[in-house]
Amino acid sequence: LEAWLRSYRPEELFGPDGRPAADVLACVPDGARRLGSSPYANGGLLVRDLPLADLDEFAVPVDKPGTSMHEPTRVLGDFLARVMKDTRLRRDFRIVGPDETASNRLQAVFDVSGKAWQAGRLPVDEHLEHHGRVMEILSEHLCQGWLEGYLLTGRHGLFSCYEAFVHIVDSMVNQHIKWLKTSRELAWRDPIPSLNYLLTSHVWRQDHNGFSHQDPGFVDHVLNKSPEVVRVYLPPDANTLLSVADHVLRSRDYVNVVVAGKQPCFDWLSMDQARVHCARGAGIWEWAGTENGSREPDVVLACAGDVPTQEILAAAQLLRRHLPELTVRVVNVVDMTRLLPKEEHPHGMSDAEYDGLFTTDKPVIFAYHGYPWLIHRLAYRRTGHQNLHVRGYKESGTTTTPFDMVVRNDLDRYRLVMDVIDRVPGLAVRAAGVRQQMADARTRHQAWIREHGTDLPEVADWTWNG
């Protein structure tokens, strides 16, 4: 051991008193050139707010809910392209992702910046630039590492990924969350831009990829982590996605998970309505229910996620048609952490607020984007938890039609109506005929898709006419 240590010739590096020699100290840089004093080691000192344009420039018009359709992430792509354009001189905003930018309908950004690419190019290559600010490589963990370093040095970014494969970075995001939690306790560390995930190509619309691409569980993983750091958003349409994106890109010291679809989706809210609804995080859609303020609702239909929202609204429409005397409240949740008690999360609702929204003693039928157990976990301490019935993804997937996916997982509109009839006191006998019609519709669906390979016309051509 001594021979090995003496091989470094310590007598040349240190004086008799053990201090570094003068010629060694002469190499030590001064001030901010020292590694620990570099402003890049405390990136919050360098952060500049992103120049975010007015959302009204990108919003889709909504004159009436549920009559027009847009691809939410394509609308978001136009907004992100503007962010790219407005930061072209600053060069402090990047999009990273595992070879899925165009697949996720964000290709508008390529009008402003190509993909970073340092090697040779072939005539068939598209959107490759030496100085591109879209970082694409089929390696989720490398994308995560790139973006973490970018954020830690005071710059901004977005990680776009297929929902099922973001799990590859579970342990990495876990460490980043722990770092953020700890750094918040150090007064000398300035906040850095948030780590923002956009998860799309999601579980309910894998019409060609099927079961291998169906896993909504990243949300469960993140919501296990430090509540002061994590946020999860499920915007139900294009305008709410714009509002959420604007919010997360402005935020600091968070890990934000945004789950949104890339397939055509109904437009439910105008831009002004979307801003208000996203600020609330969860709220009643008065236009969708049948309340008139004279009494408490008979049932609450709740939803979180774009496909569950459509199915809840279709169920509400069926109830309005077949059981018009029933008083129905429709609640949409954008910010999943609103379901937590306020003592457990900064965004959580007080018990009084939660009870006012979901009631204390009425059935709540909750259609959720992911695994249903998460909703029960978030709301288990609430007064009316015993009345909460959640439908969601339960690992029943394949390559099939969009509506068959929700039928396979009992999230479809007909099953939701059956749940209402089963759980509202007095309806089991009085509405037995309606329940039978709903069960027959599910049977009809099974026969139709096997013969035609498409969804029932009443489903494929459905629009909101409430």
Side-chain angles (χ1 to χ4, degrees), residues 48-52 80-94 109 111-114 129 131-134 150 156:
R48 290 180 289 175
D49 292 342
L50 282 175
L52 299 179
L80 295 176
R82 173 65 69 83
V83 180
M84 279 284 196
K85 179 181 178 181
D86 291 344
T87 56
R88 64 190 181 280
L89 299 179
R90 296 168 31 164
R91 298 186 59 79
D92 61 351
F93 176 75
R94 289 181 186 259
V109 300
D111 295 336
V112 182
S113 176
E129 297 177 6
H131 300 290
R133 285 184 287 140
V134 178
Y150 206 60
H156 305 261

Side-chain angles (χ1 to χ4, degrees), residues 204-261:
W204 299 109
R205 293 302 309 270
Q206 288 297 335
D207 310 352
H208 304 294
N209 293 315
F211 195 36
S212 64
H213 285 52
Q214 293 164 348
D215 185 338
F218 188 69
V219 165
D220 301 59
H221 173 66
V222 169
L223 284 177
N224 282 326
K225 307 306 174 184
S226 305
E228 63 267 41
V229 175
V230 298
R231 307 286 186 268
V232 173
Y233 301 97
L234 273 71
D237 69 356
N239 285 337
T240 50
L241 175 57
L242 283 175
S243 180
V244 167
D246 179 80
H247 169 72
V248 301
L249 289 175
R250 295 178 190 274
S251 68
R252 300 285 187 273
D253 275 356
Y254 295 143
V255 169
N256 297 304
V257 180
V258 181
V259 184

Side-chain angles (χ1 to χ4, degrees), residues 166-182:
V166 73
H167 276 294
I168 292 171
V169 303
D170 276 4
S171 62
M172 296 179 75
V173 66
N174 179 43
Q175 293 303 312
H176 190 71
I177 291 169
K178 291 178 184 297
W179 187 91
L180 286 174
K181 181 181 187 300
T182 304

